[in-house]
């Protein structure tokens, strides 16, 4: 069989191996087999259909169906996202919902006083409307998903190596081999860059400009005098998010732009974000959270696509057997199954057979044509 070397064994790389194993000799290079600092294991691990781009909605719908095949293995919690909008964002939220419905998602709209009636624990004084996913949304244990997909990929014949890619050989417009830190040269018919936040650095090994860099995101686990049973994940107008976790909650917010830089391996949680701006925003939107208590915090790295906060998936135009699958900017875990299937189709058939991800291709990076996803946090 032809050989595929997948650089990166997180959710995207492992889903690629899962769908490709048995049709290709798959070798996955993973530099940290403990996954201690992997974006997958440090993520909040949720799935939603509420995106602004049709392709992202379609990828979520496939991902939701995939997760439904293993609910016990991954601790799947079927619970909705509640996305809020003020007067300035109401038209955009309604337009997003129309897009979601057109793709087959089931999303309800609440306007004006109906928001307070449905969610009495919210401060709705500055809200105009809200959308709520009625199915195919929720959260799960990301590490359990990774373990399940990796184990299934290995059972199908994929091999995982504890190693790091340090060079990629090119000849006649093709990627021909991957060199590893241990000194091995692995001959390949296809190479997949699925290295998450490190994907930009991997592409730079062969002189390709791929605007994907790590960005640190801190997750806070809190307790507060509020019953969280049945509570959805809340995505606030401010960019703050919060959802139930056990008897408490987890929450977070992106740092200010001037502090949102490449963390250079820093995984220390930004505790000052809780004091300002997160706590005041939480207390404003959910008054019961004014009395919150911090339990713990951790930080992980997003594979941030600096062009438009959207994935880059597909072959490099001048190297057709070198494929990138990265840059999801926070929604890679939920879109891993759809991406893995798509990449496997590219390798097996030379093109997409089910979901056409051509719009996410590298050409938009090359031509500086951003395709922004508006619903990111």
């Amino acid at each position: 069989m032809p050989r595929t070397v997948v650089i990166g064994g997180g959710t995207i790389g492992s889903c690629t191996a899962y769908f490709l194993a048995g049709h290709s000799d798959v070798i996955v290079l993973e530099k940290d087999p403990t996954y201690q600092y992997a974006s997958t294991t440090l993520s909040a691990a949720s799935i939603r259909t509420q995106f602004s781009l049709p392709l992202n909605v379609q990828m979520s719908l496939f991902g939701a169906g995939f997760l439904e095949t293993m609910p016990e293995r991954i601790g799947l919690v079927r619970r909705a996202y509640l996305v809020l909008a003020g007067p300035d964002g109401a038209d955009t939220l309604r337009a997003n919902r129309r897009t979601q419905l057109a793709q087959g998602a089931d999303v309800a709209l609440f306007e004006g006083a109906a928001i307070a009636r449905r969610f009495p624990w919210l401060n709705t004084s500055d809200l105009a409307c809200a959308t709520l996913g009625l199915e195919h949304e929720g959260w799960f244990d990301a590490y359990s998903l990774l373990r399940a997909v990796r184990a299934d990929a290995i059972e199908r014949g994929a091999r995982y190596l504890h190693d790091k890619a340090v060079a990629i050989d090119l000849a006649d417009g093709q990627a021909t081999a991957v060199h590893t830190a241990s000194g091995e040269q692995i001959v390949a018919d296809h190479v997949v860059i699925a290295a998450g936040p490190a994907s930009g650095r991997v592409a730079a090994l062969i002189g390709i400009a791929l605007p994907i860099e790590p960005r640190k995101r801190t997750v806070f686990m809190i307790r507060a005098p509020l019953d969280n049973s049945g509570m959805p994940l809340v995505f606030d107008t401010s960019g703050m998010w919060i959802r139930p976790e056990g008897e408490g909650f987890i929450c977070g917010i992106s740092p200010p732009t001037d502090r949102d830089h490449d963390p250079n391996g820093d995984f220390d949680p930004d505790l000052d974000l809780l004091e300002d701006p997160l706590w005041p925003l939480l207390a404003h939107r959910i008054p019961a959270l004014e009395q919150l208590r911090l339990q713990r915090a951790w930080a992980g790295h997003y594979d941030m696509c600096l062009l438009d906060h959207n994935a880059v998936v597909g072959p490099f135009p001048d190297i057709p057997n070198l494929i990138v699958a990265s840059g999801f900017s926070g929604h890679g875990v939920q879109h891993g199954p759809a991406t893995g299937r798509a990449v496997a189709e590219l390798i097996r058939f030379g093109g997409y057979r089910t979901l056409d991800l051509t719009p996410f291709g590298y050409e938009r990076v090359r031509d500086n044509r951003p395709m922004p996803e508006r619903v990111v946090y």
Side-chain angles (χ1 to χ4, degrees):
M1 289 190 293
R3 174 175 291 167
T4 300
V5 177
V6 180
I7 302 172
T11 297
I12 304 298
S14 290
C15 284
T16 298
Y18 171 89
F19 283 101
L20 192 57
H23 306 284
S24 179
D25 175 21
V26 181
I27 297 176
V28 182
L29 301 180
E30 174 51 54
K31 63 182 181 180
D32 176 21
T34 69
Y35 295 98
Q36 180 179 1
Y37 296 109
S39 296
T40 294
T41 52
L42 295 173
S43 75
S46 54
I47 186 162
R48 57 187 165 100
T49 59
Q50 296 184 68
F51 284 92
S52 65
L53 294 181
L55 265 182
N56 281 332
V57 179
Q58 294 170 27
M59 293 175 79
S60 287
L61 289 171
F62 177 78
F66 185 86
L67 298 180
E68 286 287 355
T69 67
M70 55 179 76
E72 292 80 16
R73 296 175 72 184
I74 64 173
L76 180 62
V77 176
R78 298 172 180 86
R79 198 80 63 83
Y81 267 67
L82 178 65
V83 182
L84 308 177
D88 292 341
D91 288 344
T92 296
L93 189 65
R94 295 187 190 102
N96 289 346
R97 177 176 178 260
R98 289 193 293 270
T99 296
Q100 295 149 14
L101 294 177
Q103 301 308 313
D106 191 0
V107 180
L109 176 68
F110 297 86
E111 305 215 37
I115 308 173
R117 290 195 297 270
R118 178 64 174 82
F119 308 102
W121 38 269
L122 281 180
N123 170 17
T124 61
S125 60
D126 56 349
L127 298 180
C129 60
T131 54
L132 183 75
L134 300 181
E135 59 179 348
H136 305 310
E137 296 191 331
W139 47 88
F140 51 92
D141 183 79
Y143 184 53
S144 294
L145 173 64
L146 176 57
R147 288 181 60 190
V149 174
R150 175 183 162 125
D152 290 350
I154 291 172
E155 185 176 354
R156 295 180 177 200
R159 293 177 287 158
Y160 280 69
L161 302 182
H162 176 196
D163 220 331
K164 177 182 178 181
V166 296
I168 300 173
D169 288 342
L170 302 178
D172 300 323
Q174 298 281 315
T176 58
V178 176
H179 294 258
T180 72
S182 67
E184 188 172 359
Q185 181 187 35
I186 306 174
V187 175
D189 297 285
H190 291 87
V191 176
V192 179
I193 299 176
S199 293
R201 293 196 292 271
V202 173
L205 295 174
I206 48 177
I208 294 176
L210 182 62
I212 296 173
E213 295 182 1
R215 291 293 185 268
K216 186 167 67 170
R217 294 293 181 265
T218 300
V219 179
F220 300 94
M221 178 173 285
I222 63 172
R223 297 289 293 271
L226 175 66
D227 179 11
N228 70 12
S229 58
M231 177 180 170
L233 186 152
V234 178
F235 183 29
D236 191 43
T237 57
S238 63
M240 169 274 291
W241 63 271
I242 181 170
R243 72 161 168 84
E245 180 70 19
E247 296 181 356
F249 308 85
I250 60 173
C251 56
I253 193 169
S254 299
T257 302
D258 61 352
R259 291 167 50 192
D260 197 15
H261 48 73
D262 188 332
N264 289 316
D266 175 18
F267 285 88
D268 292 334
D270 290 331
L271 297 177
D272 56 335
L273 285 176
L274 179 60
E275 189 71 24
D276 181 24
L278 184 54
W279 195 335
L281 294 172
L282 289 167
H284 169 73
R285 183 60 62 210
I286 306 174
L289 298 183
E290 187 174 1
Q291 303 178 47
L292 68 83
R293 290 175 291 131
L294 177 64
Q295 303 294 298
R296 68 184 186 95
W298 71 89
H301 291 173
Y302 276 6
D303 54 330
M304 188 68 72
C305 178
L306 305 183
L307 177 68
D308 54 15
H309 291 187
N310 229 332
V312 183
V313 180
F316 289 101
D318 298 326
I319 314 171
N321 71 331
L322 179 61
I323 297 169
V324 62
S326 189
F328 290 85
S329 306
H331 49 273
V333 173
Q334 61 187 298
H335 287 172
T339 303
R341 179 183 64 171
V343 172
E345 290 173 352
L346 285 176
I347 293 171
R348 291 183 60 194
F349 308 118
Y352 298 116
R353 292 293 182 91
T354 49
L355 191 57
D356 185 358
L357 300 190
T358 300
F360 288 156
Y362 181 78
E363 288 82 356
R364 84 175 195 282
V365 175
R366 179 196 62 193
D367 301 338
N368 192 29
R369 290 185 285 104
M371 189 175 67
E373 170 54 56
R374 292 191 294 267
V375 190
V376 293
Y377 60 92

